[in-house]
Amino acid sequence: APVMSDPEKLAAMDIMAGIITSAWAVNPEYFNKLTFTMVALSLQYGNAPTSPFGYAWHGSILCEALDKPAAGADFGKLAVALLDRLEARSLRSKVLNIYASTIGLWQGHPKRYFDFHLDGIQSGLDSGDLEFASYNAAEYAQYLFLVGTPLDQVRDASQQKLSLIEHLKQDFHVQYLSPWLQSTLNLLGESSATTALEGEIYSEQAHLQAAVEQNQLTLVFVAYFLKSFLSYLFGEYEQSLAYGKIARAHSSGVAGTLFLPTEMFYVSLARLACLNDTEASEQGQAQLAVETDIAQLKRWAKSAPMNYQHKCDLLEAELSKYQTHFIAAMELYDQAIAGAKTNGYLQEEALANERA
């Protein structure tokens, strides 16, 4: 492939590469424009040293937002391959992070890409890219949490990664990871809180309102998703649904990540748990919302059944039970339990057993 040589185009690529991640966190429309522009310039004028960054983000958009995971994976693989060809060492941490956190999971199990996160941490430290060393550290711990790793292991890994981020003085990433560690401590009974994100590690009273006021989409999503998740597990279904709606309204700040299908799954479970207490006039709309989320999860399950099929099965089991289709529900519960077990989603296997 040709190499970009026009100094104005190279400067434009550098500028866009410098601001695109901030746009991902706070301005999705601007993020998309930057991504498409970086890819268009690379295809028209040749590859620049920063082109792999644009290709990786484009792959992320293709996978989740445009529902083209095979094409997205191709762009992701291109981005990784170009790192060595272009000797783009300063981008290695960035590209590995985007691949592991927003591309791989749409075709494979997230565990397959944990080594990308760990390589990304070291690459970022070696090149001075402390921002993406911290993204890799935070998302490695967050994904351990989401794929069913035993909670004591999640706690230990999260504490280690949070200490690294604090040492690197990356304040955004401290706020990005600390609610997850606080949630883990809540679940382990090592905090006096249950559904509130209040403790030694993170205080929603101290931090959440500021994140809302600053339109920090990523941080607001994370906090409200975790509050919704905890509320569901502790049986506070209406509160779970309320928090989930707030998280969903900020979901553009976590585009492409495993957070999206997980939020969809737990909010749908909460909505189903609330159905019997929902006003008769609103039950049809609530069912439609659940069916819409199931349809999206099924689309994702076509290319990554190991991550999403058991989620679909459990939601359809709950819906069948509500509709008094008990034999169908029993079969779907069995499928959900088996699928979660086979793919190591221990917490979702336990949940399916509990609900059956």
Side-chain angles (χ1 to χ4, degrees), residues 181-227:
L181 177 53
Q182 188 61 57
S183 297
T184 304
L185 298 178
N186 288 15
L187 290 168
L188 286 167
E190 296 177 10
S191 166
S192 58
T194 52
T195 62
L197 296 174
E198 286 295 338
E200 292 182 14
I201 303 299
Y202 179 83
S203 168
E204 63 182 75
Q205 290 184 342
H207 299 294
L208 186 48
Q209 188 55 40
V212 171
E213 290 171 359
Q214 294 165 14
N215 196 36
Q216 290 278 4
L217 298 175
T218 305
L219 300 183
V220 176
F221 175 92
V222 161
Y224 277 104
F225 160 68
L226 289 167
K227 286 168 68 63

mmCIF file of all heavy atoms in Angstrom, residues 181-227:
data_model
loop_
_atom_site.group_PDB
_atom_site.id
_atom_site.type_symbol
_atom_site.label_atom_id
_atom_site.label_comp_id
_atom_site.label_asym_id
_atom_site.label_seq_id
_atom_site.Cartn_x
_atom_site.Cartn_y
_atom_site.Cartn_z
ATOM 1 N N LEU A 181 -14.476 -1.827 40.854
ATOM 2 C CA LEU A 181 -13.892 -2.433 42.053
ATOM 3 C C LEU A 181 -14.829 -2.268 43.233
ATOM 4 O O LEU A 181 -15.019 -3.207 44.019
ATOM 5 C CB LEU A 181 -12.521 -1.813 42.345
ATOM 6 C CG LEU A 181 -11.823 -2.300 43.614
ATOM 7 C CD1 LEU A 181 -11.724 -3.814 43.675
ATOM 8 C CD2 LEU A 181 -10.438 -1.666 43.729
ATOM 9 N N GLN A 182 -15.460 -1.091 43.351
ATOM 10 C CA GLN A 182 -16.417 -0.887 44.445
ATOM 11 C C GLN A 182 -17.586 -1.872 44.322
ATOM 12 O O GLN A 182 -18.027 -2.447 45.315
ATOM 13 C CB GLN A 182 -16.938 0.555 44.439
ATOM 14 C CG GLN A 182 -17.788 0.905 45.647
ATOM 15 C CD GLN A 182 -17.004 0.769 46.940
ATOM 16 O OE1 GLN A 182 -15.960 1.398 47.110
ATOM 17 N NE2 GLN A 182 -17.490 -0.067 47.852
ATOM 18 N N SER A 183 -18.069 -2.084 43.113
ATOM 19 C CA SER A 183 -19.161 -3.047 42.891
ATOM 20 C C SER A 183 -18.732 -4.458 43.289
ATOM 21 O O SER A 183 -19.515 -5.220 43.880
ATOM 22 C CB SER A 183 -19.593 -3.042 41.425
ATOM 23 O OG SER A 183 -20.105 -1.787 41.056
ATOM 24 N N THR A 184 -17.501 -4.813 42.952
ATOM 25 C CA THR A 184 -16.980 -6.137 43.307
ATOM 26 C C THR A 184 -16.947 -6.304 44.824
ATOM 27 O O THR A 184 -17.340 -7.357 45.356
ATOM 28 C CB THR A 184 -15.573 -6.323 42.710
ATOM 29 O OG1 THR A 184 -15.628 -6.117 41.292
ATOM 30 C CG2 THR A 184 -15.035 -7.715 42.996
ATOM 31 N N LEU A 185 -16.484 -5.271 45.530
ATOM 32 C CA LEU A 185 -16.463 -5.332 46.990
ATOM 33 C C LEU A 185 -17.874 -5.437 47.557
ATOM 34 O O LEU A 185 -18.110 -6.171 48.531
ATOM 35 C CB LEU A 185 -15.751 -4.093 47.552
ATOM 36 C CG LEU A 185 -14.275 -3.939 47.161
ATOM 37 C CD1 LEU A 185 -13.709 -2.648 47.741
ATOM 38 C CD2 LEU A 185 -13.450 -5.134 47.615
ATOM 39 N N ASN A 186 -18.829 -4.722 46.945
ATOM 40 C CA ASN A 186 -20.236 -4.835 47.375
ATOM 41 C C ASN A 186 -20.710 -6.282 47.262
ATOM 42 O O ASN A 186 -21.337 -6.812 48.176
ATOM 43 C CB ASN A 186 -21.135 -3.944 46.514
ATOM 44 C CG ASN A 186 -20.968 -2.456 46.787
ATOM 45 O OD1 ASN A 186 -20.012 -2.030 47.417
ATOM 46 N ND2 ASN A 186 -21.897 -1.662 46.287
ATOM 47 N N LEU A 187 -20.402 -6.921 46.129
ATOM 48 C CA LEU A 187 -20.872 -8.286 45.885
ATOM 49 C C LEU A 187 -20.190 -9.303 46.801
ATOM 50 O O LEU A 187 -20.781 -10.319 47.166
ATOM 51 C CB LEU A 187 -20.645 -8.668 44.422
ATOM 52 C CG LEU A 187 -21.527 -7.939 43.406
ATOM 53 C CD1 LEU A 187 -21.024 -8.179 41.985
ATOM 54 C CD2 LEU A 187 -22.982 -8.393 43.530
ATOM 55 N N LEU A 188 -18.949 -9.019 47.163
ATOM 56 C CA LEU A 188 -18.216 -9.914 48.055
ATOM 57 C C LEU A 188 -18.583 -9.709 49.532
ATOM 58 O O LEU A 188 -18.115 -10.460 50.390
ATOM 59 C CB LEU A 188 -16.698 -9.711 47.881
ATOM 60 C CG LEU A 188 -16.079 -10.290 46.606
ATOM 61 C CD1 LEU A 188 -14.673 -9.752 46.398
ATOM 62 C CD2 LEU A 188 -16.068 -11.814 46.670
ATOM 63 N N GLY A 189 -19.413 -8.702 49.799
ATOM 64 C CA GLY A 189 -19.741 -8.396 51.187
ATOM 65 C C GLY A 189 -18.611 -7.697 51.921
ATOM 66 O O GLY A 189 -18.574 -7.685 53.162
ATOM 67 N N GLU A 190 -17.680 -7.110 51.176
ATOM 68 C CA GLU A 190 -16.543 -6.415 51.780
ATOM 69 C C GLU A 190 -16.777 -4.907 51.838
ATOM 70 O O GLU A 190 -15.850 -4.116 52.012
ATOM 71 C CB GLU A 190 -15.262 -6.733 51.004
ATOM 72 C CG GLU A 190 -14.898 -8.212 51.082
ATOM 73 C CD GLU A 190 -13.671 -8.576 50.260
ATOM 74 O OE1 GLU A 190 -12.981 -7.650 49.777
ATOM 75 O OE2 GLU A 190 -13.407 -9.783 50.088
ATOM 76 N N SER A 191 -18.029 -4.521 51.665
ATOM 77 C CA SER A 191 -18.442 -3.130 51.762
ATOM 78 C C SER A 191 -19.779 -3.110 52.484
ATOM 79 O O SER A 191 -20.553 -4.069 52.404
ATOM 80 C CB SER A 191 -18.595 -2.521 50.362
ATOM 81 O OG SER A 191 -19.281 -1.288 50.400
ATOM 82 N N SER A 192 -20.055 -2.042 53.204
ATOM 83 C CA SER A 192 -21.350 -1.947 53.901
ATOM 84 C C SER A 192 -22.482 -1.669 52.922
ATOM 85 O O SER A 192 -23.656 -1.861 53.238
ATOM 86 C CB SER A 192 -21.298 -0.847 54.969
ATOM 87 O OG SER A 192 -20.974 0.396 54.368
ATOM 88 N N ALA A 193 -22.133 -1.220 51.705
ATOM 89 C CA ALA A 193 -23.143 -0.902 50.691
ATOM 90 C C ALA A 193 -23.527 -2.154 49.914
ATOM 91 O O ALA A 193 -22.781 -3.135 49.871
ATOM 92 C CB ALA A 193 -22.615 0.162 49.739
ATOM 93 N N THR A 194 -24.706 -2.114 49.314
ATOM 94 C CA THR A 194 -25.127 -3.178 48.401
ATOM 95 C C THR A 194 -25.309 -2.601 47.006
ATOM 96 O O THR A 194 -24.500 -2.836 46.108
ATOM 97 C CB THR A 194 -26.431 -3.847 48.886
ATOM 98 O OG1 THR A 194 -27.425 -2.836 49.124
ATOM 99 C CG2 THR A 194 -26.195 -4.652 50.153
ATOM 100 N N THR A 195 -26.357 -1.802 46.811
ATOM 101 C CA THR A 195 -26.628 -1.254 45.475
ATOM 102 C C THR A 195 -26.044 0.144 45.278
ATOM 103 O O THR A 195 -25.978 0.623 44.144
ATOM 104 C CB THR A 195 -28.142 -1.201 45.215
ATOM 105 O OG1 THR A 195 -28.750 -0.332 46.168
ATOM 106 C CG2 THR A 195 -28.753 -2.582 45.357
ATOM 107 N N ALA A 196 -25.627 0.791 46.338
ATOM 108 C CA ALA A 196 -25.018 2.122 46.212
ATOM 109 C C ALA A 196 -23.519 1.978 45.961
ATOM 110 O O ALA A 196 -22.866 1.085 46.516
ATOM 111 C CB ALA A 196 -25.255 2.935 47.481
ATOM 112 N N LEU A 197 -22.995 2.835 45.113
ATOM 113 C CA LEU A 197 -21.552 2.847 44.856
ATOM 114 C C LEU A 197 -20.896 3.786 45.863
ATOM 115 O O LEU A 197 -20.477 4.898 45.552
ATOM 116 C CB LEU A 197 -21.281 3.294 43.416
ATOM 117 C CG LEU A 197 -21.812 2.366 42.326
ATOM 118 C CD1 LEU A 197 -21.615 2.989 40.956
ATOM 119 C CD2 LEU A 197 -21.159 0.998 42.395
ATOM 120 N N GLU A 198 -20.864 3.324 47.097
ATOM 121 C CA GLU A 198 -20.318 4.120 48.198
ATOM 122 C C GLU A 198 -19.359 3.259 49.005
ATOM 123 O O GLU A 198 -19.731 2.193 49.498
ATOM 124 C CB GLU A 198 -21.443 4.624 49.122
ATOM 125 C CG GLU A 198 -22.266 5.750 48.555
ATOM 126 C CD GLU A 198 -21.484 7.036 48.353
ATOM 127 O OE1 GLU A 198 -20.442 7.219 49.012
ATOM 128 O OE2 GLU A 198 -21.914 7.852 47.507
ATOM 129 N N GLY A 199 -18.127 3.730 49.115
ATOM 130 C CA GLY A 199 -17.153 2.996 49.909
ATOM 131 C C GLY A 199 -15.792 3.657 49.824
ATOM 132 O O GLY A 199 -15.652 4.783 49.354
ATOM 133 N N GLU A 200 -14.778 2.935 50.253
ATOM 134 C CA GLU A 200 -13.423 3.486 50.274
ATOM 135 C C GLU A 200 -12.875 3.706 48.871
ATOM 136 O O GLU A 200 -12.064 4.604 48.645
ATOM 137 C CB GLU A 200 -12.493 2.531 51.041
ATOM 138 C CG GLU A 200 -12.781 2.437 52.533
ATOM 139 C CD GLU A 200 -11.787 1.513 53.232
ATOM 140 O OE1 GLU A 200 -10.762 1.177 52.614
ATOM 141 O OE2 GLU A 200 -12.059 1.137 54.381
ATOM 142 N N ILE A 201 -13.316 2.881 47.918
ATOM 143 C CA ILE A 201 -12.736 2.943 46.572
ATOM 144 C C ILE A 201 -13.405 4.005 45.708
ATOM 145 O O ILE A 201 -12.743 4.731 44.971
ATOM 146 C CB ILE A 201 -12.862 1.568 45.880
ATOM 147 C CG1 ILE A 201 -12.189 0.480 46.720
ATOM 148 C CG2 ILE A 201 -12.269 1.614 44.480
ATOM 149 C CD1 ILE A 201 -10.704 0.679 46.938
ATOM 150 N N TYR A 202 -14.723 4.102 45.808
ATOM 151 C CA TYR A 202 -15.479 5.028 44.960
ATOM 152 C C TYR A 202 -16.692 5.530 45.726
ATOM 153 O O TYR A 202 -17.340 4.771 46.453
ATOM 154 C CB TYR A 202 -15.951 4.336 43.678
ATOM 155 C CG TYR A 202 -16.757 5.229 42.747
ATOM 156 C CD1 TYR A 202 -16.121 6.092 41.859
ATOM 157 C CD2 TYR A 202 -18.152 5.215 42.756
ATOM 158 C CE1 TYR A 202 -16.852 6.914 41.009
ATOM 159 C CE2 TYR A 202 -18.892 6.028 41.906
ATOM 160 C CZ TYR A 202 -18.240 6.871 41.035
ATOM 161 O OH TYR A 202 -18.965 7.685 40.201
ATOM 162 N N SER A 203 -16.989 6.811 45.537
ATOM 163 C CA SER A 203 -18.175 7.410 46.149
ATOM 164 C C SER A 203 -18.984 8.115 45.072
ATOM 165 O O SER A 203 -18.530 9.110 44.497
ATOM 166 C CB SER A 203 -17.780 8.409 47.243
ATOM 167 O OG SER A 203 -18.911 9.182 47.624
ATOM 168 N N GLU A 204 -20.176 7.587 44.805
ATOM 169 C CA GLU A 204 -21.015 8.240 43.803
ATOM 170 C C GLU A 204 -21.430 9.638 44.250
ATOM 171 O O GLU A 204 -21.589 10.541 43.424
ATOM 172 C CB GLU A 204 -22.247 7.384 43.489
ATOM 173 C CG GLU A 204 -23.187 7.157 44.642
ATOM 174 C CD GLU A 204 -24.361 6.258 44.258
ATOM 175 O OE1 GLU A 204 -24.184 5.042 44.125
ATOM 176 O OE2 GLU A 204 -25.464 6.805 44.107
ATOM 177 N N GLN A 205 -21.581 9.832 45.553
ATOM 178 C CA GLN A 205 -21.946 11.167 46.047
ATOM 179 C C GLN A 205 -20.858 12.185 45.726
ATOM 180 O O GLN A 205 -21.147 13.347 45.455
ATOM 181 C CB GLN A 205 -22.195 11.122 47.557
ATOM 182 C CG GLN A 205 -23.459 10.367 47.937
ATOM 183 C CD GLN A 205 -23.751 10.414 49.423
ATOM 184 O OE1 GLN A 205 -22.872 10.717 50.228
ATOM 185 N NE2 GLN A 205 -24.988 10.124 49.794
ATOM 186 N N ALA A 206 -19.611 11.730 45.745
ATOM 187 C CA ALA A 206 -18.493 12.650 45.492
ATOM 188 C C ALA A 206 -18.248 12.884 44.006
ATOM 189 O O ALA A 206 -17.775 13.955 43.623
ATOM 190 C CB ALA A 206 -17.222 12.103 46.152
ATOM 191 N N HIS A 207 -18.565 11.885 43.157
ATOM 192 C CA HIS A 207 -18.101 11.956 41.774
ATOM 193 C C HIS A 207 -19.184 11.959 40.702
ATOM 194 O O HIS A 207 -18.972 12.499 39.623
ATOM 195 C CB HIS A 207 -17.163 10.766 41.490
ATOM 196 C CG HIS A 207 -15.948 10.734 42.347
ATOM 197 N ND1 HIS A 207 -14.963 11.699 42.285
ATOM 198 C CD2 HIS A 207 -15.556 9.848 43.303
ATOM 199 C CE1 HIS A 207 -14.011 11.420 43.157
ATOM 200 N NE2 HIS A 207 -14.344 10.303 43.791
ATOM 201 N N LEU A 208 -20.334 11.356 40.974
ATOM 202 C CA LEU A 208 -21.267 11.092 39.876
ATOM 203 C C LEU A 208 -21.918 12.358 39.333
ATOM 204 O O LEU A 208 -22.035 12.527 38.110
ATOM 205 C CB LEU A 208 -22.334 10.089 40.323
ATOM 206 C CG LEU A 208 -23.305 9.590 39.256
ATOM 207 C CD1 LEU A 208 -22.587 9.146 37.998
ATOM 208 C CD2 LEU A 208 -24.148 8.455 39.807
ATOM 209 N N GLN A 209 -22.319 13.255 40.211
ATOM 210 C CA GLN A 209 -22.983 14.464 39.735
ATOM 211 C C GLN A 209 -22.065 15.310 38.855
ATOM 212 O O GLN A 209 -22.493 15.864 37.839
ATOM 213 C CB GLN A 209 -23.495 15.300 40.913
ATOM 214 C CG GLN A 209 -24.383 16.484 40.495
ATOM 215 C CD GLN A 209 -25.578 16.073 39.638
ATOM 216 O OE1 GLN A 209 -26.208 15.038 39.897
ATOM 217 N NE2 GLN A 209 -25.892 16.848 38.617
ATOM 218 N N ALA A 210 -20.794 15.365 39.217
ATOM 219 C CA ALA A 210 -19.836 16.118 38.397
ATOM 220 C C ALA A 210 -19.711 15.494 37.010
ATOM 221 O O ALA A 210 -19.637 16.209 35.998
ATOM 222 C CB ALA A 210 -18.476 16.160 39.089
ATOM 223 N N ALA A 211 -19.706 14.167 36.939
ATOM 224 C CA ALA A 211 -19.616 13.492 35.642
ATOM 225 C C ALA A 211 -20.833 13.807 34.785
ATOM 226 O O ALA A 211 -20.730 14.019 33.577
ATOM 227 C CB ALA A 211 -19.476 11.985 35.846
ATOM 228 N N VAL A 212 -22.025 13.848 35.422
ATOM 229 C CA VAL A 212 -23.259 14.196 34.697
ATOM 230 C C VAL A 212 -23.167 15.622 34.165
ATOM 231 O O VAL A 212 -23.465 15.888 32.994
ATOM 232 C CB VAL A 212 -24.485 14.023 35.615
ATOM 233 C CG1 VAL A 212 -25.741 14.587 34.939
ATOM 234 C CG2 VAL A 212 -24.691 12.552 35.982
ATOM 235 N N GLU A 213 -22.754 16.540 35.023
ATOM 236 C CA GLU A 213 -22.686 17.955 34.630
ATOM 237 C C GLU A 213 -21.671 18.189 33.515
ATOM 238 O O GLU A 213 -21.855 19.065 32.670
ATOM 239 C CB GLU A 213 -22.340 18.812 35.854
ATOM 240 C CG GLU A 213 -23.480 18.877 36.877
ATOM 241 C CD GLU A 213 -23.080 19.537 38.178
ATOM 242 O OE1 GLU A 213 -21.895 19.934 38.303
ATOM 243 O OE2 GLU A 213 -23.939 19.657 39.075
ATOM 244 N N GLN A 214 -20.596 17.398 33.497
ATOM 245 C CA GLN A 214 -19.563 17.551 32.472
ATOM 246 C C GLN A 214 -19.858 16.746 31.207
ATOM 247 O O GLN A 214 -19.042 16.711 30.291
ATOM 248 C CB GLN A 214 -18.207 17.116 33.048
ATOM 249 C CG GLN A 214 -17.692 17.996 34.165
ATOM 250 C CD GLN A 214 -16.554 17.336 34.948
ATOM 251 O OE1 GLN A 214 -15.979 16.336 34.518
ATOM 252 N NE2 GLN A 214 -16.220 17.902 36.085
ATOM 253 N N ASN A 215 -21.032 16.099 31.183
ATOM 254 C CA ASN A 215 -21.432 15.264 30.046
ATOM 255 C C ASN A 215 -20.391 14.185 29.744
ATOM 256 O O ASN A 215 -20.096 13.870 28.591
ATOM 257 C CB ASN A 215 -21.666 16.119 28.794
ATOM 258 C CG ASN A 215 -22.450 15.361 27.727
ATOM 259 O OD1 ASN A 215 -23.340 14.578 28.039
ATOM 260 N ND2 ASN A 215 -22.105 15.575 26.458
ATOM 261 N N GLN A 216 -19.844 13.588 30.817
ATOM 262 C CA GLN A 216 -18.889 12.496 30.662
ATOM 263 C C GLN A 216 -19.685 11.212 30.412
ATOM 264 O O GLN A 216 -19.977 10.443 31.326
ATOM 265 C CB GLN A 216 -18.027 12.365 31.932
ATOM 266 C CG GLN A 216 -17.050 13.499 32.129
ATOM 267 C CD GLN A 216 -15.778 13.300 31.310
ATOM 268 O OE1 GLN A 216 -15.674 12.340 30.540
ATOM 269 N NE2 GLN A 216 -14.833 14.197 31.458
ATOM 270 N N LEU A 217 -20.024 10.991 29.147
ATOM 271 C CA LEU A 217 -20.924 9.895 28.792
ATOM 272 C C LEU A 217 -20.422 8.546 29.306
ATOM 273 O O LEU A 217 -21.188 7.734 29.820
ATOM 274 C CB LEU A 217 -21.102 9.832 27.281
ATOM 275 C CG LEU A 217 -21.721 11.057 26.606
ATOM 276 C CD1 LEU A 217 -21.700 10.878 25.081
ATOM 277 C CD2 LEU A 217 -23.146 11.276 27.071
ATOM 278 N N THR A 218 -19.123 8.313 29.140
ATOM 279 C CA THR A 218 -18.556 7.024 29.538
ATOM 280 C C THR A 218 -18.701 6.802 31.034
ATOM 281 O O THR A 218 -19.155 5.735 31.486
ATOM 282 C CB THR A 218 -17.068 6.958 29.139
ATOM 283 O OG1 THR A 218 -16.952 7.230 27.744
ATOM 284 C CG2 THR A 218 -16.475 5.596 29.447
ATOM 285 N N LEU A 219 -18.305 7.794 31.821
ATOM 286 C CA LEU A 219 -18.324 7.645 33.280
ATOM 287 C C LEU A 219 -19.749 7.557 33.816
ATOM 288 O O LEU A 219 -20.017 6.793 34.758
ATOM 289 C CB LEU A 219 -17.579 8.808 33.938
ATOM 290 C CG LEU A 219 -16.106 8.965 33.558
ATOM 291 C CD1 LEU A 219 -15.473 10.115 34.337
ATOM 292 C CD2 LEU A 219 -15.330 7.670 33.794
ATOM 293 N N VAL A 220 -20.666 8.305 33.224
ATOM 294 C CA VAL A 220 -22.063 8.254 33.674
ATOM 295 C C VAL A 220 -22.662 6.891 33.326
ATOM 296 O O VAL A 220 -23.347 6.276 34.153
ATOM 297 C CB VAL A 220 -22.888 9.395 33.046
ATOM 298 C CG1 VAL A 220 -24.364 9.269 33.434
ATOM 299 C CG2 VAL A 220 -22.345 10.747 33.500
ATOM 300 N N PHE A 221 -22.382 6.404 32.117
ATOM 301 C CA PHE A 221 -22.883 5.081 31.756
ATOM 302 C C PHE A 221 -22.399 4.033 32.746
ATOM 303 O O PHE A 221 -23.177 3.216 33.251
ATOM 304 C CB PHE A 221 -22.447 4.675 30.343
ATOM 305 C CG PHE A 221 -22.854 3.258 30.008
ATOM 306 C CD1 PHE A 221 -24.059 2.999 29.377
ATOM 307 C CD2 PHE A 221 -22.057 2.180 30.379
ATOM 308 C CE1 PHE A 221 -24.461 1.692 29.115
ATOM 309 C CE2 PHE A 221 -22.454 0.869 30.126
ATOM 310 C CZ PHE A 221 -23.655 0.630 29.497
ATOM 311 N N VAL A 222 -21.097 4.014 32.998
ATOM 312 C CA VAL A 222 -20.517 2.987 33.866
ATOM 313 C C VAL A 222 -21.178 2.991 35.241
ATOM 314 O O VAL A 222 -21.577 1.939 35.762
ATOM 315 C CB VAL A 222 -18.992 3.197 33.985
ATOM 316 C CG1 VAL A 222 -18.425 2.476 35.194
ATOM 317 C CG2 VAL A 222 -18.295 2.720 32.714
ATOM 318 N N ALA A 223 -21.313 4.163 35.842
ATOM 319 C CA ALA A 223 -21.876 4.236 37.190
ATOM 320 C C ALA A 223 -23.322 3.754 37.213
ATOM 321 O O ALA A 223 -23.712 2.949 38.078
ATOM 322 C CB ALA A 223 -21.777 5.665 37.723
ATOM 323 N N TYR A 224 -24.123 4.206 36.266
ATOM 324 C CA TYR A 224 -25.541 3.824 36.287
ATOM 325 C C TYR A 224 -25.752 2.382 35.829
ATOM 326 O O TYR A 224 -26.661 1.698 36.321
ATOM 327 C CB TYR A 224 -26.379 4.803 35.469
ATOM 328 C CG TYR A 224 -26.726 6.030 36.274
ATOM 329 C CD1 TYR A 224 -26.070 7.239 36.066
ATOM 330 C CD2 TYR A 224 -27.683 5.969 37.285
ATOM 331 C CE1 TYR A 224 -26.370 8.355 36.831
ATOM 332 C CE2 TYR A 224 -27.992 7.076 38.057
ATOM 333 C CZ TYR A 224 -27.334 8.262 37.830
ATOM 334 O OH TYR A 224 -27.622 9.359 38.596
ATOM 335 N N PHE A 225 -24.904 1.891 34.921
ATOM 336 C CA PHE A 225 -24.996 0.475 34.580
ATOM 337 C C PHE A 225 -24.724 -0.390 35.809
ATOM 338 O O PHE A 225 -25.452 -1.354 36.096
ATOM 339 C CB PHE A 225 -24.016 0.102 33.466
ATOM 340 C CG PHE A 225 -23.744 -1.381 33.417
ATOM 341 C CD1 PHE A 225 -24.738 -2.270 33.036
ATOM 342 C CD2 PHE A 225 -22.519 -1.894 33.820
ATOM 343 C CE1 PHE A 225 -24.507 -3.650 33.038
ATOM 344 C CE2 PHE A 225 -22.284 -3.256 33.830
ATOM 345 C CZ PHE A 225 -23.282 -4.134 33.434
ATOM 346 N N LEU A 226 -23.670 -0.057 36.540
ATOM 347 C CA LEU A 226 -23.321 -0.858 37.711
ATOM 348 C C LEU A 226 -24.391 -0.762 38.791
ATOM 349 O O LEU A 226 -24.709 -1.765 39.457
ATOM 350 C CB LEU A 226 -21.956 -0.435 38.251
ATOM 351 C CG LEU A 226 -20.778 -0.838 37.353
ATOM 352 C CD1 LEU A 226 -19.505 -0.127 37.775
ATOM 353 C CD2 LEU A 226 -20.573 -2.351 37.372
ATOM 354 N N LYS A 227 -24.988 0.409 38.960
ATOM 355 C CA LYS A 227 -26.086 0.551 39.933
ATOM 356 C C LYS A 227 -27.289 -0.289 39.489
ATOM 357 O O LYS A 227 -27.951 -0.930 40.316
ATOM 358 C CB LYS A 227 -26.475 2.026 40.083
ATOM 359 C CG LYS A 227 -25.445 2.847 40.875
ATOM 360 C CD LYS A 227 -25.684 4.355 40.782
ATOM 361 C CE LYS A 227 -26.951 4.764 41.492
ATOM 362 N NZ LYS A 227 -26.910 4.490 42.945
#
